[in-house]
Amino acid sequence: MLSYRFIIGLAGEIFIRLRILSFAGCLLVLAGCGFTPVYGNRAAPGSVPAQFDRIEVTPIGGRVGLQLRNDLIDRFSARGGQTAKLYRLDIVLNARKEGLAIQQDESVTRFNYRLFGNLKLVRLSDQQVIFEDNARTYVAYNVVQSDFATLSAERDAEERAAHDLGAEIATRLSLYFRRVDMENDAQP
């Protein structure tokens, strides 16, 4: 008769082998479907990092706008930002905070901070808008007894929202540039 430990050990080995086979199968499927990473060939002139380096981010109003602009400049200028700019990124922000957790005495103990961005990518050579989209992010913060701590939590929420919105904008632009690069490769 088989012992309980032997059966558990055998099941564990089978599970590990199935995970390895599943991972190998996923790799084969990805290789067969033509999957290429978004940031693929970084040295190619049409690559996403090369295109990011050619974007000028216009000033955005307010403290959160400044944080978002600085975040985007950091993301886009990984190559040092010394190349000639071909595009201009215009962003209009709209921020809103709303009470989420309301006590019986109608005091708010938690806020949602929503940051919306309307972005337009303009080609500088002919001032044509080549990409337009909306992005948004939500973050929350608590209201506590200390006014300083609450203000600090609100500022932290604004910084997190700016960082998250910057990541969302960079993702959308990278997908746009990747699609354009793939369309250019497909043309004879």
Side-chain angles (χ1 to χ4, degrees), residues 39 42 49 52-53 55-57 66-81 85 89 162-163 166-167 170:
Y39 295 99
R42 293 175 169 268
F52 276 176
D53 204 28
I55 297 176
E56 171 192 349
V57 183
L66 178 65
Q67 291 170 342
L68 175 61
R69 181 175 187 261
N70 288 341
D71 185 74
L72 288 171
I73 289 171
D74 288 345
R75 288 176 191 276
F76 293 165
S77 60
R79 296 176 170 212
K85 304 302 181 190
L89 182 62
H163 181 74

Side-chain angles (χ1 to χ4, degrees), residues 132-153:
E132 187 172 4
D133 204 355
N134 295 310
R136 66 177 180 256
T137 186
Y138 304 95
V139 293
Y141 64 95
N142 291 326
V143 176
V144 293
Q145 295 293 328
S146 167
D147 290 339
F148 176 76
T150 300
L151 181 63
S152 178

Side-chain angles (χ1 to χ4, degrees), residues 16-83:
I16 290 171
R17 289 180 186 196
L18 282 175
R19 283 182 26 192
I20 290 171
L21 284 173
S22 297
F23 181 72
C26 288
L27 288 177
L28 287 174
V29 167
L30 284 177
C33 75
F35 171 78
T36 57
V38 171
Y39 295 99
N41 184 359
R42 293 175 169 268
S47 69
V48 172
Q51 296 293 4
F52 276 176
D53 204 28
R54 296 180 178 125
I55 297 176
E56 171 192 349
V57 183
T58 59
I60 308 166
R63 185 180 66 251
V64 176
L66 178 65
Q67 291 170 342
L68 175 61
R69 181 175 187 261
N70 288 341
D71 185 74
L72 288 171
I73 289 171
D74 288 345
R75 288 176 191 276
F76 293 165
S77 60
R79 296 176 170 212
Q82 302 301 320
T83 59

Side-chain angles (χ1 to χ4, degrees), residues 18 25 27 29 44 52 82 96 98 100 104 122 131 151 155:
L18 282 175
L27 288 177
V29 167
F52 276 176
Q82 302 301 320
R96 194 169 74 200
E98 57 188 28
L100 184 63
Q104 288 181 349
V122 179
F131 179 75
L151 181 63
R155 295 274 168 91

